[in-house]
Amino acid sequence: MTRPDEVAWFVPGRVEMLGKHTDYAGGRSLLAAVDRGHTVTARAREDRTLLVTSSIARETLEIDLDAEPAGRLGAGHWSGYVRTVVDRLRANFPGRSRGAEISIESDLPLAAGMSSSSALVVGLALAYGELCRMGDEPAYREVVTDRERLAEYLGCVENGQSYGPLAGHRGVGTFGGSEDHVAMLCGREARMVQYSFCPVGFERAVPFPEDRALVIAVSGVQAEKTGSALEHYNRVSLSARDIVGIWNERTGRRDATLGDVVAADPGAADALRALIDPGTYLSARLSQFLEESERIIPAATDALAAGDLATFGSLVDESQQLAEEGLGNQTPETVALQRLAREMGADAASAFGAGFGGSVWAMVPAERADRFAVDWVDRYADTFPVAGRAATWLVTRPGPPAHRVWSS
């Protein structure tokens, strides 16, 4: 079969309804794709040059496919994500790469917690991967058997880890998981999906209420993963590994994630709590994971399925509080936005994403979503005038997953 000469894919952003820093720890999340995202178009060239243009950054990156991979650019720069994907595909599937012109168009807010960076990773892998027919490689077909496995692989592309026989390569510098990639590849229109992780496993899908909308308030505090923000993000991530390390050392077990520990036996969670010194960050992080993954998310999904928005909202409030106290990844701006939304009558509201800035979602009646959004951001700006000037909002509902726009 001949390779296509041009292909385009749309990849949505995502909203993490619940599941703050649970995925890479082997927990679960409640997710939704949204109706905004990146459109990545790849057109073949006759030479061995890759030209990648971003309409948002208004820059073009040039990569010589016959040269040795360059060192990673500064963390957080969009071109670093491009190089990460291209270098990993070249390393895992040698001989498949070809020259191309790749353009990235987007209506997804950047550094807003809607995972524009992971959407870029997924979009590049889908469009450039199809242009090069990476999927014809036996190693690819053996490992990437469905969209869930593709999401796991792309999570490893981003964090630099190996995936089965597909050897790891330099990632983007963050120790994240595959939650974003799962939402983008496996979301369902008008549904919220509950997934477990490590490995990725579908648990259930629940309808998003027909008369409700999601209002996203972008706080104006960019959720960057650079400098001290990157250190704080990785502290949240690595602390989960530290807890597992303590467990394995004390018990002689070889569990890989917190989820594995909890699944070991019914008393494992209590035994684990007893091993961690109370009053420490690790203790707070452990409590956040256990409450969020094991209690709040299943109960919240049950409440949604039953149409009990009051219970759903109360559980989401608990999740928000755990993020503030257990993860320590909230800013005064995101805390204020969440509180304001609830005071203004939102059914539920929560910050989401990596934290340290970004966005807050609110579930509200669809008929007044626009009015709610304007009032919400206006009231927020009264308290935080600097961030408020940069704040934006959008109204959305769960949308379809990544899909091919065209191929020729």
Side-chain angles (χ1 to χ4, degrees), residues 327-345:
L327 294 177
N329 71 338
Q330 297 302 300
T331 66
E333 292 85 356
T334 56
V335 171
L337 277 169
Q338 192 272 342
R339 300 291 195 276
L340 278 172
R342 289 292 272 161
E343 290 171 10
M344 293 171 61

Side-chain angles (χ1 to χ4, degrees), residues 333-376:
E333 292 85 356
T334 56
V335 171
L337 277 169
Q338 192 272 342
R339 300 291 195 276
L340 278 172
R342 289 292 272 161
E343 290 171 10
M344 293 171 61
D347 301 308
S350 178
F352 64 98
F356 311 106
S359 302
V360 175
W361 64 260
M363 180 187 291
V364 302
E367 62 183 12
R368 63 182 184 92
D370 288 330
R371 183 71 261 167
F372 178 95
V374 171
D375 292 343
W376 187 20

Side-chain angles (χ1 to χ4, degrees), residues 59-244:
E59 295 177 299
T60 297
L61 172 67
E62 181 174 336
I63 299 174
D64 181 351
L65 294 173
D66 291 326
E68 288 296 316
R72 186 172 68 236
L73 299 180
H77 193 276
W78 74 276
S79 56
Y81 288 87
V82 175
R83 288 188 182 276
T84 293
V85 174
V86 172
D87 291 348
R88 179 66 176 261
L89 293 178
R90 291 169 66 190
N92 287 164
F93 312 110
R96 281 282 171 182
S97 60
R98 64 192 298 203
E101 294 180 2
I102 298 177
S103 63
I104 304 159
E105 304 285 338
S106 182
D107 61 358
L108 188 65
L110 301 181
M114 300 181 74
S115 205
S116 59
S117 55
S118 291
L120 177 58
V121 169
V122 174
L124 287 166
L126 290 171
Y128 187 60
E130 182 175 353
L131 192 74
C132 300
R133 297 198 67 85
M134 301 285 183
D136 288 351
E137 282 291 314
Y140 185 101
R141 294 198 305 268
E142 176 185 348
V143 176
V144 184
T145 55
D146 54 30
R147 282 203 167 199
E148 280 84 1
R149 283 350 97 191
L150 177 58
E152 287 181 326
Y153 171 61
L154 294 181
C156 290
V157 168
E158 191 164 334
N159 64 34
Q161 296 179 353
S162 295
Y163 185 67
L166 302 177
H169 197 271
R170 182 180 52 243
V172 301
T174 55
F175 300 103
S178 56
E179 175 193 278
D180 300 345
H181 315 79
V182 166
M184 294 164 187
L185 287 163
C186 307
R188 302 188 185 188
E189 189 166 14
R191 297 285 190 277
M192 287 175 285
V193 292
Q194 180 179 309
Y195 269 90
S196 58
F197 293 87
C198 301
V200 169
F202 173 75
E203 293 188 339
R204 63 193 298 196
V206 293
F208 188 84
E210 292 184 3
D211 60 348
R212 283 334 194 235
L214 282 175
V215 178
I216 310 295
V218 184
S219 69
V221 179
Q222 290 197 341
E224 297 283 8
K225 295 178 182 176
T226 58
S228 62
L230 176 61
E231 294 178 9
H232 290 310
Y233 173 87
N234 284 339
R235 178 198 184 200
V236 175
S237 174
L238 293 174
S239 63
R241 299 185 188 183
D242 292 341
I243 295 168
V244 175

Side-chain angles (χ1 to χ4, degrees), residues 37-41 53-56 103-108:
H38 301 327
T39 298
V40 181
T41 303
T53 303
S54 166
S55 64
I56 299 175
S103 63
I104 304 159
E105 304 285 338
S106 182
D107 61 358
L108 188 65

